[in-house]
Amino acid sequence: MSSRRVVVAGGGAAGFFAAITCAETAPDVEVTLLEKGPQFLSKVRISGGGRCNVTHACFEAREFAAHYPRGGQALIAPFKTFQASDTVAWFESRGVKLKTEKDGRMFPTTDTSQTILDCLLGAARAAGVKLVLNRGVERVVKRPEGGFELSLSDGELLACEGLLLATGGCRVPALGQLAVSLGHTLEPPVPSLFTFHLETPWVRGLAGVSVEAAEASVPGTGLRERGALLLTHWGLSGPVVLRLSAWGARELHGFNYRFPLRLNWLPHLGTEALAAELQSRRAAQPARLVVNTPLAPLTARLWEQLVLAAGIPGETRWADVSRAGRHALVQQLLRTELPVTGKSLNKDEFVTCGGVRLSEVNFKTMESRICPGLHFAGELLDIDGLTGGFNFQAAWTTGWLAGQAMAGEGPA
Ligand SMILES: Cc1cc2nc3c(=O)[nH]c(=O)nc-3n(C[C@H](O)[C@H](O)[C@H](O)COP(=O)(O)OP(=O)(O)OC[C@H]3O[C@@H](n4cnc5c(N)ncnc54)[C@H](O)[C@@H]3O)c2cc1C
């Protein structure tokens, strides 16, 4: 039996990856993984709509790191050691093939997260990781002789030489207390990757309509994104909104999620080009109703609502649109301003912005700079990515580095 014990707190993506890496690299180390809940890998199971978006098909460290509103800079070097192609190879060497979708997201070819779950559980068991459910770490004290003594939720005490905290995003600060009790600072947690709640009746009336390339911005901030926009029963969603929510997680929290949102429905057109287009329509089809002649690529229903919102009544013909009317329509098409009144959950993926301060962690080994022997991995850190597989990749990479280091073979 080994004289060295490593404990991993948290049975999620990061904890499993670290535990497997450590146990495979150093078979003589006793690796115990403690999960406080009744299930391992519960987020992996529900991730990506039940398909698990494992990573993203982007194989350059700097480019990959640009997808993290928090933590990108710190992740560049780790990605040079373990990046998306390593994740693909890791799973493939264990019999799991990944496929890439048009937008770069990578999923198991089986299209079910169960494949990833089975792979991680199988690899952990094969490597001899001791897997324990329903036992959480409640308190940690540093032992005078080195290492830690853990108080577990069932009242037991457990001593170990190495400890990895992979307890996931701390939605509330209390969930980061183990790190704080060992001297670490938590960047205040706020949600990231949410959708926008709007009361505007015409927007809600268009639920299901999508626009392939809209531009959304928040006046008075530097927040501006382009991409697909989806109108929903509660407001707005789609990649452009999720990106805005991620890059603006702190600012939008500061506004209590009540702020004006500006939408440009035709960002490929400038004001003058659009005004000229409307003028030529007026000349070419003077007798047709404005609401019935949508401007591509806008859908007929969306166009109609934008025309009405610009104050042009439904029975107006192009010939009767005044200069002021055309001006109002240009404004509406390029600068619709809508009041956001709150945020809603993005059921596909949400993460926590905030967590353990990155300057307190050595990103070569994921070891604490404050408390030797303590390591971190995954969403507990102040790292969060955009949707698309970036959050899991951060968990795989930091978990792998921590696992190597705890095995005693981490890069110097
Ligand atoms: C609905 C949803 C879908 C998602 N889909 C995707 C996706 O497709 N692709 C992607 O890249 N990202 C996705 N994400 C984000 C991704 O799931 C997380 O970023 C990732 O799971 C973080 O992994 P983790 O191991 O750090 O934390 P977690 O997966 O949260 O695991 C932490 C574990 O630690 C346990 N724990 C907590 N405290 C203790 C304690 N004191 N002692 C013992 N155990 C403890 C928790 O019970 C939990 O099981 C999704 C998130 C959600 C919510």
Side-chain angles (χ1 to χ4, degrees):
M1 173 59 82
S2 139
S3 57
R4 215 153 78 80
R5 180 188 282 145
V6 162
V7 169
V8 172
F16 263 81
F17 226 65
I20 295 165
T21 305
C22 182
E24 285 182 350
T25 311
D28 56 322
V29 173
E30 184 191 317
V31 182
T32 302
L33 184 150
L34 301 173
E35 165 56 50
K36 76 170 178 189
Q39 275 188 354
F40 295 118
L41 300 163
S42 53
K43 273 199 189 166
V44 170
R45 182 182 295 282
I46 58 166
S47 67
R51 294 198 300 143
C52 189
N53 179 192
V54 177
T55 186
H56 201 92
C58 168
F59 306 110
E60 205 282 311
R62 231 167 238 287
E63 202 185 322
F64 205 98
H67 294 84
Y68 294 82
R70 268 100 4 214
Q73 191 61 33
L75 282 170
I76 295 173
F79 284 153
K80 287 185 178 164
T81 308
F82 194 96
Q83 55 137 311
S85 58
D86 299 300
T87 304
V88 174
W90 194 95
F91 280 104
E92 203 151 295
S93 71
R94 288 160 179 84
V96 174
K97 268 195 165 322
L98 302 183
K99 60 170 176 176
T100 307
E101 304 218 320
K102 265 208 314 275
D103 57 7
R105 292 180 302 160
M106 301 192 80
F107 294 90
T109 50
T110 55
D111 272 330
T112 166
S113 58
Q114 189 64 45
T115 305
I116 303 299
L117 247 93
D118 291 344
C119 176
L120 291 169
L121 280 164
R125 288 190 184 116
V129 177
K130 200 169 155 201
L131 296 170
V132 185
L133 278 177
N134 295 309
R135 216 177 289 176
V137 177
E138 295 206 324
R139 272 182 309 281
V140 183
V141 288
K142 285 194 271 184
R143 292 184 307 182
E145 68 272 31
F148 305 91
E149 186 170 79
L150 316 179
S151 308
L152 307 185
S153 50
D154 59 0
E156 259 192 57
L157 295 178
L158 185 64
C160 60
E161 282 70 43
L163 174 64
L164 170 75
L165 294 181
T167 49
C170 29
R171 290 181 316 281
V172 290
L175 291 172
Q177 278 321 297
L178 291 176
V180 172
S181 74
L182 292 167
H184 280 274
T185 317
L186 278 194
E187 300 296 350
V190 300
S192 179
L193 297 178
F194 48 85
T195 63
F196 296 166
H197 194 90
L198 271 86
E199 311 285 344
T200 317
W202 69 260
V203 173
R204 290 179 164 215
L206 290 172
V209 167
S210 63
V211 180
E212 215 168 290
E215 186 178 272
S217 58
V218 181
T221 73
L223 298 169
R224 183 181 298 273
E225 289 293 327
R226 250 185 213 204
L229 177 73
L230 182 65
L231 285 74
T232 68
H233 290 292
W234 65 90
L236 295 172
S237 178
V240 69
V241 168
L242 295 177
R243 280 208 294 275
L244 217 51
S245 81
W247 289 105
R250 288 220 177 276
E251 255 173 310
L252 302 182
H253 175 80
F255 297 150
N256 200 19
Y257 308 106
R258 300 181 79 85
F259 55 91
L261 180 73
R262 193 171 286 165
L263 290 175
N264 182 343
W265 304 92
L266 299 165
H268 58 288
L269 286 180
T271 307
E272 278 174 23
L274 179 58
E277 174 66 30
L278 298 185
Q279 175 62 19
S280 76
R281 287 196 159 219
R282 187 167 183 263
Q285 43 195 17
R288 294 198 63 189
L289 295 181
V290 179
V291 288
N292 285 350
T293 46
L295 203 66
L298 302 181
T299 65
R301 285 172 67 208
L302 175 58
W303 169 260
E304 180 184 6
Q305 291 306 320
L306 289 168
V307 169
L308 297 175
I312 298 174
E315 62 281 4
T316 312
R317 297 177 191 287
W318 276 107
D320 303 325
V321 186
S322 63
R323 178 186 284 269
R326 287 201 304 280
H327 178 72
L329 187 52
V330 169
Q331 286 295 111
Q332 191 66 35
L333 291 168
L334 302 186
R335 279 179 284 276
T336 297
E337 209 158 291
L338 296 167
V340 173
T341 54
K343 65 170 170 51
S344 302
L345 199 63
N346 167 38
K347 293 193 196 73
D348 286 341
E349 181 173 350
F350 47 89
V351 288
T352 305
C353 147
V356 170
R357 182 171 287 173
L358 303 186
S359 58
E360 297 173 351
V361 178
N362 174 353
F363 270 73
K364 285 186 181 151
T365 56
M366 302 315 295
E367 188 173 11
S368 161
R369 292 188 192 280
I370 291 171
C371 176
L374 174 67
H375 292 74
F376 295 102
E379 213 183 306
L380 172 63
L381 291 155
D382 182 23
I383 293 178
D384 59 273
L386 302 177
T387 55
F390 299 101
N391 285 300
F392 276 141
Q393 186 58 54
W396 311 134
T397 297
T398 53
W400 190 87
L401 285 177
Q404 287 281 320
M406 291 188 304
E409 290 182 15

